[in-house]
Amino acid sequence: MTSETHSTSAQDATPIGFQEHDHQACVETALATAEVRCNEAGLRLTPVRRKVLEMLVQEHRALGAYAILDRLRDEGFGSQPPVAYRALDFLVQHGFAHKIERLNAFVACAHPGAMHSPAFMICRNCDAVAEAQSAPVKGMLGAAARAAGFEIERMVVEAEGLCPDCTEKA
Ligand SMILES: [Zn+2]
Ligand SMILES: [Zn+2]
Ligand SMILES: [Zn+2]
């Protein structure tokens, strides 16, 4: 069991979830869940993979690969881009994180372990990201696909708008 009580994140890691929540518990739960799932699946949550996941979980905001690389360097994990990319690939491939195509950036999965079609709500002002689940197969697109004889295998919804904080400030 590793204990990481210190956060050396350069910025103040204010929770940017859309709702008030116990962010410390949220981070701990996400990391603990990832450790359990990796153990069960025989995957190795190496220190660098764990650190990248921790960075994503801290934020509730999309982080680009270069921002992640900068932080890895600050934390002594080296500055080679493949280090960040390989860790991100692992996290995305195994469902611990998602890539937000629109921002070319990454977020921690809010529902790790569940097979799901994520629907992202992305704030265009501050890049805060909240993840909901969608059921495309049950929706109108699903009906259209069935009518067309098309089988949907993967669908990601990326909705853009303003988060509650930015709406308030606007
Ligand atoms: Zn949180
Ligand atoms: Zn997810
Ligand atoms: Zn915002």
Side-chain angles (χ1 to χ4, degrees):
M1 192 171 153
T2 53
S3 75
E4 288 205 40
T5 46
H6 66 289
S7 168
T8 46
S9 172
Q11 284 112 326
D12 179 23
T14 318
I16 322 274
F18 283 3
Q19 300 100 24
E20 290 283 329
H21 65 287
D22 181 349
H23 188 57
Q24 190 59 39
C26 154
V27 171
E28 281 164 13
T29 305
L31 291 173
T33 304
E35 262 160 24
V36 169
R37 285 191 54 217
C38 282
N39 275 339
E40 285 170 358
L43 301 168
R44 284 182 56 230
L45 192 63
T46 59
V48 64
R49 290 167 175 173
R50 193 180 191 283
K51 178 54 75 179
V52 172
L53 179 61
E54 188 187 340
M55 289 174 194
L56 295 176
V57 169
Q58 282 284 356
E59 292 288 330
H60 296 300
R61 179 198 298 269
L63 284 182
Y66 277 91
I68 290 165
L69 190 59
D70 277 350
R71 295 191 194 185
L72 283 178
R73 189 181 43 229
D74 292 347
E75 305 248 357
F77 285 96
S79 57
Q80 298 302 308
V83 173
Y85 284 115
R86 277 199 297 262
L88 287 165
D89 277 352
F90 171 87
L91 295 174
V92 169
Q93 190 187 339
H94 297 288
F96 300 114
H98 297 293
K99 184 172 185 192
I100 307 282
E101 301 288 344
R102 222 205 137 287
L103 302 173
N104 192 26
F106 300 84
V107 288
C109 177
H111 316 102
M115 275 296 292
H116 60 284
S117 297
F120 299 108
M121 290 166 276
I122 305 162
C123 179
R124 62 175 162 79
N125 193 48
C126 72
D127 287 353
V129 174
E131 180 184 344
Q133 307 213 43
S134 68
V137 179
K138 292 190 189 114
M140 280 173 69
L141 185 59
R146 274 190 297 281
F150 181 87
E151 197 168 320
I152 297 175
E153 290 176 339
R154 178 178 172 273
M155 195 173 100
V156 177
V157 176
E158 298 187 358
E160 193 183 68
L162 279 177
C163 75
D165 271 359
C166 293
T167 307
E168 227 168 77
K169 285 176 203 145

